[in-house]
Amino acid sequence: MVKQKVTIGNPTGLHLRPAGLLCKEALRFQSSIKFEYGNTTANAKSVLSVLGACVKCGDEIELICEGADEKEALETITELINGGLGE
């Protein structure tokens, strides 16, 4: 299992479009990809789970990847978030 904290930089947080992008990218990996925000744990492979976490701009989440390709998954998802998730 690998973990990393990341700050959401999108002006509108993880709304539908960036959540969809995050989910689409997460589905490419075999590993389990989740994130913790406050008292919530969200499945990054589920758009509804990501939206349900209500992550806003400036919030810090902790990505947690576990599985065969966990390191690559963590690196890719971190880069996607740091790159603004297409916004």
Side-chain angles (χ1 to χ4, degrees), residues 11-30:
T12 52
L14 291 181
H15 63 89
L16 188 56
R17 190 175 29 248
L21 251 157
L22 176 65
C23 182
K24 183 179 177 183
E25 195 65 29
L27 286 167
R28 292 182 47 235
F29 297 97
Q30 290 179 339

Side-chain angles (χ1 to χ4, degrees), residues 26-87:
L27 286 167
R28 292 182 47 235
F29 297 97
Q30 290 179 339
S31 297
S32 161
I33 303 172
K34 299 179 182 191
F35 67 84
E36 291 180 352
Y37 170 65
N39 295 329
T40 305
T41 300
N43 178 358
K45 294 184 177 186
S46 164
V47 174
L48 290 177
S49 184
V50 173
L51 290 173
C54 298
V55 179
K56 309 276 186 267
C57 180
D59 290 343
E60 184 178 71
I61 63 171
E62 183 171 31
L63 290 168
I64 304 162
C65 302
E66 185 172 9
D69 51 4
E70 62 189 22
K71 289 180 183 174
E72 183 186 353
L74 182 66
E75 184 178 310
T76 301
I77 300 297
T78 301
E79 285 177 16
L80 184 66
I81 292 171
N82 288 336
L85 289 160
E87 292 193 343

